[in-house]
Amino acid sequence: MKTTERKTRATGRATLSDVAREAQVSPITASRALRGVDTVDPELAERVRSAAAALGYVPNPAARALASARSDTVVVLVPSLTNAVFVDVLEAIYRILQPAGYEVLIGNSHYDREEEERLIRNYLAHRPSGLIVTGFDRTEAARRLIEASKIPSVHLMELAQAPGVYCVGLSQSEAGATVARHLLQRGRRRLAFVAAQLDPRTLQRGEGFRRALIEAGCYDPALELLTPAPSSMALGGELLVSLLERHPDVDGIFFNNDDLAQGALLEALRRGIPVPQRVAVVGFNDLEGAAHMVPRLTTIRTPREEMGRRAAELLLAVMRGETVKVPAVDVGFELVTRESS
């Protein structure tokens, strides 16, 4: 019988040992080569891949997890896969974890705490090596699941100072306050906060914006226009019109994200509402297109690529048992001032 025909399991499927024997390497080297670990000699890695292809070998992640009490996967849970913010973060995470030999499993909670809890419960059953979650707002059951699993975990987008908590993010509240101070410095006094989706980070931005206005003595609760509807450019235009119809004296608006802000700028252009002469507009995230609006959009730039990269690097350090000197990594933010304010 030819080597490529040899099957040692009762199922008839080739095993990792078969691949290692065919490639004339140890099973450990074969495993690392097939997982893409970049410390394996390229020539050996190619030999292992060729042997695996010849034998028709398909890895069994369930068996590997049982053998090691952990799989070679990292679970990343985000609230949206259509929001460019999270796409940028995920790309950066993948670029760090994949060369280190980990497969990245992505879960989308759709901004639903119960859905996130279900995802956590299902993914933890597969014994991942690590977990990256978005923010700190989740059900108590989900919190207990993560804690009881003892799986290394990193939180994205927000910051917290607590023993055993690893996170990479920025102060959403301070970013909101920065927008308020910017508009106040521009001489604006009737300032509105317009937001959709109303996830925890949006509410934190609103809290910071409100705090700065209260300190300046010009906060008006009537100028907060909040809706749980999903964010979109179309909604941004609708909210701008609604706000100005009810409060025509508004002279500055902070939209909780660039989607809404860009939609508002387009609607203002259609209706002949001069920006910033009549009303200043500020967004959040500095997404692609913000610098090309008419007028160009003032916004808060968030370092999304850096956030994903630093989160993945932090998780790798925790999974490897390394000493982590800075468990809460503040990547900061930048106010990018353009023509809209």
Side-chain angles (χ1 to χ4, degrees):
M1 179 182 292
K2 293 181 181 179
T3 305
T4 54
E5 296 175 347
R6 184 170 58 241
K7 314 293 182 187
T8 59
R9 281 187 176 163
T11 60
R13 290 195 293 266
T15 68
L16 182 63
S17 295
D18 296 332
V19 174
R21 190 180 303 112
E22 180 78 5
Q24 297 181 342
V25 299
S26 71
I28 293 176
T29 298
S31 175
R32 289 173 177 169
L34 292 173
R35 286 188 284 122
V37 177
D38 54 14
T39 56
V40 178
D41 180 86
E43 183 182 347
L44 291 181
E46 180 56 34
R47 213 158 71 202
V48 170
R49 286 192 293 268
S50 296
L55 291 168
Y57 172 72
V58 178
N60 185 344
R64 187 162 56 202
L66 286 171
S68 65
R70 286 284 186 271
S71 68
D72 296 318
T73 60
V74 168
V75 173
V76 184
L77 300 182
V78 295
S80 172
L81 291 177
T82 58
N83 188 329
V85 171
F86 297 106
V87 173
D88 293 344
V89 171
L90 287 170
E91 284 284 353
I93 290 172
Y94 182 83
R95 285 196 297 270
I96 297 298
L97 293 180
Q98 195 277 334
Y102 291 95
E103 293 298 325
V104 179
L105 298 181
I106 299 170
N108 180 5
S109 71
H110 300 94
Y111 291 97
D112 185 310
R113 288 172 17 129
E114 281 68 35
E115 174 65 9
E116 186 198 49
E117 179 187 325
R118 185 189 70 79
L119 289 171
I120 290 172
R121 193 180 302 278
N122 289 345
Y123 278 128
L124 290 183
H126 296 282
R127 303 181 181 181
S129 292
L131 178 65
I132 297 178
V133 294
T134 303
F136 294 94
D137 181 57
R138 51 190 41 88
T139 67
E140 184 57 35
R143 236 187 312 271
R144 288 198 300 268
L145 282 169
I146 294 173
E147 183 178 351
S149 74
K150 306 300 182 184
I151 291 172
S153 303
V154 172
H155 300 259
L156 275 173
M157 301 287 179
E158 301 175 40
L159 297 172
Q161 300 290 338
V165 173
Y166 301 97
C167 53
V168 179
L170 56 98
S171 174
Q172 304 281 342
S173 175
E174 186 54 34
T178 296
V179 173
R181 296 184 193 114
H182 166 71
L183 290 171
L184 290 168
Q185 289 169 0
R186 292 299 172 100
R188 311 291 171 150
R189 287 297 178 270
R190 294 289 290 164
L191 301 179
F193 177 59
V194 178
Q197 201 72 65
L198 307 186
D199 60 88
R201 288 158 297 285
T202 286
L203 297 179
Q204 290 166 27
R205 292 166 206 161
E207 184 278 327
F209 188 75
R210 185 184 311 118
R211 169 169 47 84
L213 294 185
I214 291 173
E215 291 172 357
C218 58
Y219 170 66
D220 183 348
L223 300 186
E224 290 191 359
L225 181 55
L226 311 179
T227 173
S231 291
S232 68
M233 293 179 69
L235 180 60
E238 294 170 10
L239 293 175
L240 172 74
V241 172
S242 176
L243 176 68
L244 294 183
E245 284 179 348
R246 285 187 279 173
H247 303 282
D249 59 340
V250 165
D251 59 7
I253 307 173
F254 173 33
F255 288 92
N256 78 292
N257 61 43
D258 282 359
D259 289 342
L260 296 180
Q262 291 179 16
L265 289 181
L266 291 173
E267 188 63 28
L269 190 62
R270 276 191 290 269
R271 292 175 176 258
I273 301 171
V275 177
Q277 294 84 354
R278 163 68 180 80
V279 59
V281 173
V282 179
F284 196 96
N285 279 318
D286 196 27
L287 298 182
E288 185 177 0
H292 306 289
M293 298 299 296
V294 180
R296 295 178 177 87
L297 178 64
T298 294
T299 184
I300 293 287
R301 177 177 295 160
T302 54
R304 300 178 294 279
E305 187 277 334
E306 181 186 0
M307 199 179 310
R309 175 177 58 80
R310 298 285 292 274
E313 291 171 345
L314 179 58
L315 182 62
L316 281 176
V318 178
M319 290 191 299
R320 292 166 177 167
E322 299 173 5
T323 300
V324 175
K325 295 181 179 180
V326 183
V329 180
D330 187 348
V331 296
F333 59 86
E334 177 188 357
L335 174 67
V336 181
T337 304
R338 299 193 180 104
E339 299 164 355
S340 71
S341 64

